């Protein structure tokens, strides 16, 4: 069933803006237009489509009785998250207020482009390819992880209400202009009240570009075909992968009904 759903994703998600660049993590891309300093070769080109790929999973309600109403669980969240793959879709950015039910996990995958002025008139590209400090902030209720170029810069996989100070997870990483691999993971557990709006919002600021704290706009995100298959969570045990566990071995007859609604704001 997952193979069928991802086939639909290939048909439905791969429209939009195309970026062509050499994949060169940590130093951005090799495309001079993206701030790199190497020439492209046709064999190294990738097609980059607008937006991120979001892979949604259904988790056990009340974590099989281990999440008591109104209380934070004491069990390991890794045991109850990313349990049942449901569907994938393209999303322009990470700026959600999830409502209705909880008990789900999401994995966003793709690339983030470090460049000022995208989607904003009057701002120019950086004058050189020097690395700059990029401040990331992920406001989330509940669990949160952020990986840049394969490095886990935020890892706070626990229940956390949006009103708590600790719900704003922050990290600073030095990046060169260009594309960088990004993975964001999130789980939503209990919603405490009817129509509760639980945030999952990704911000950044780049002082060297005079970019103040803001939601990372859609103009800075893109993905490739490979991202449609990259649904395994970062905590997936390598031994499980070596034993052949994954979507090709699953026989899942569930439909791809969206178990959560979301609203975006500025």
């Amino acid at each position: 069933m997952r193979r069928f759903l991802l086939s639909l994703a290939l048909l439905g998600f791969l429209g939009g803006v195309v970026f062509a660049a050499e994949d060169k993590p940590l130093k951005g891309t090799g495309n001079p237009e993206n701030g790199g300093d190497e020439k492209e070769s046709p064999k190294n080109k990738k097609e980059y489509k607008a937006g991120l790929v979001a892979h949604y999973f259904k988790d056990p309600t009340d974590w099989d009785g281990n999440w008591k109403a109104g209380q934070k669980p004491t069990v390991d969240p890794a045991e109850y998250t990313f349990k049942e793959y449901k569907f994938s879709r393209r999303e322009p950015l990470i700026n959600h207020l999830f409502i209705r039910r909880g008990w789900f996990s999401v994995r966003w995958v793709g690339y983030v482009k470090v460049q000022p002025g995208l989607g904003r008139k009057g701002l120019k590209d950086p004058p050189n390819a020097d690395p700059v400090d990029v401040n990331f902030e992920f406001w989330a209720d509940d669990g949160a992880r952020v990986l840049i170029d394969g490095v886990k810069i935020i890892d706070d996989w626990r229940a956390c209400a949006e009103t708590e100070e600790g719900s704003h997870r922050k990290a600073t990483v030095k990046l060169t202009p260009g594309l960088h691999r990004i993975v964001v993971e999130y789980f939503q557990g209990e919603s405490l009240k009817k129509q509760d709006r639980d945030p999952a919002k990704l911000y950044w600021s780049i002082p060297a570009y005079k970019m103040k704290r803001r939601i990372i706009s859609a103009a800075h995100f893109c993905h490739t075909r490979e991202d449609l298959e990259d649904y395994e969570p970062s905590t997936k045990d390598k031994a499980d992968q070596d034993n052949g566990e994954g979507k090709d071995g699953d026989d899942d007859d569930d439909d791809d009904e969206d178990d959560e609604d979301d609203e975006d704001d500025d």
Side-chain angles (χ1 to χ4, degrees), residues 183-256:
V183 176
V184 178
E185 294 177 335
Y186 165 78
F187 80 79
Q188 171 57 45
E190 180 186 38
S191 290
L192 294 178
K193 56 186 179 181
K194 187 176 181 180
Q195 297 299 307
D196 194 11
R197 299 189 177 190
D198 298 308
K201 295 173 176 284
L202 187 61
Y203 302 81
W204 70 356
S205 64
I206 308 179
Y209 297 165
K210 298 182 179 179
M211 291 174 58
K212 296 182 179 181
R213 176 183 177 273
R214 66 186 63 162
I215 293 286
I216 303 178
S217 70
H220 288 272
F221 289 122
C222 58
H223 69 278
T224 67
R225 283 180 177 269
E226 289 79 5
D227 296 321
L228 293 165
E229 298 285 340
D230 187 9
Y231 74 99
E232 296 287 8
S234 63
T235 53
K236 178 72 173 180
D237 195 353
K238 187 177 186 300
D240 291 342
Q241 298 183 36
D242 292 342
N243 289 333
E245 289 190 11
K247 63 179 180 303
D248 289 338
D250 291 342
D251 184 13
D252 186 352
D253 291 328
D254 289 340
D255 61 29
D256 61 349

Side-chain angles (χ1 to χ4, degrees), residues 16-32:
V17 180
V18 176
F19 300 90
E22 180 186 11
D23 183 16
K24 192 177 180 67
L26 294 177
K27 293 186 178 180
T29 70
N31 186 345

Side-chain angles (χ1 to χ4, degrees), residues 79-122:
E79 297 294 325
Y80 300 94
T81 51
F82 290 109
K83 300 305 292 183
E84 180 185 355
Y85 172 82
K86 294 296 288 183
F87 64 92
S88 300
R89 68 185 184 190
R90 188 184 68 185
E91 296 183 355
L93 72 169
I94 302 175
N95 183 24
H96 293 283
L97 288 175
F98 289 104
I99 61 177
R100 290 178 56 198
R101 298 183 295 274
W103 317 117
F104 66 93
S105 307
V106 193
R107 175 178 168 89
W108 291 277
V109 294
Y111 293 84
V112 61
K113 190 172 185 180
V114 177
Q115 178 181 333
L118 290 181
R120 295 167 63 88
K121 295 181 179 179

Side-chain angles (χ1 to χ4, degrees), residues 59 63 67 77 81 104-105 141-143 157-159 186-189:
D59 298 331
W63 285 8
W67 191 319
T81 51
F104 66 93
S105 307
D141 172 340
D142 290 288
W157 207 240
R158 63 184 177 90
Y186 165 78
F187 80 79
Q188 171 57 45

Side-chain angles (χ1 to χ4, degrees), residues 103-149:
W103 317 117
F104 66 93
S105 307
V106 193
R107 175 178 168 89
W108 291 277
V109 294
Y111 293 84
V112 61
K113 190 172 185 180
V114 177
Q115 178 181 333
L118 290 181
R120 295 167 63 88
K121 295 181 179 179
L123 295 179
K124 298 181 179 181
D125 290 350
N128 53 51
D130 292 340
V132 295
D133 286 334
V134 181
N135 304 313
F136 288 94
E137 177 186 334
F138 190 28
W139 180 32
D141 172 340
D142 290 288
R145 293 193 195 102
V146 179
L147 295 86
I148 301 294
D149 292 329

Side-chain angles (χ1 to χ4, degrees), residues 9-78:
L10 283 169
L11 294 174
F13 294 166
L14 294 182
V17 180
V18 176
F19 300 90
E22 180 186 11
D23 183 16
K24 192 177 180 67
L26 294 177
K27 293 186 178 180
T29 70
N31 186 345
E33 294 182 358
N34 289 341
D37 55 3
E38 299 179 9
K39 293 183 179 180
E40 289 184 282
S41 117
K43 68 179 180 180
N44 289 329
K45 282 187 177 179
K46 286 185 178 181
E47 282 194 351
Y48 293 88
K49 309 290 185 176
L52 299 172
V53 176
H55 303 289
Y56 281 80
F57 292 71
K58 178 177 173 56
D59 298 331
T61 301
D62 300 324
W63 285 8
D64 293 334
N66 290 292
W67 191 319
K68 305 299 182 183
Q71 301 178 20
K72 290 185 178 181
T74 57
V75 294
D76 182 2

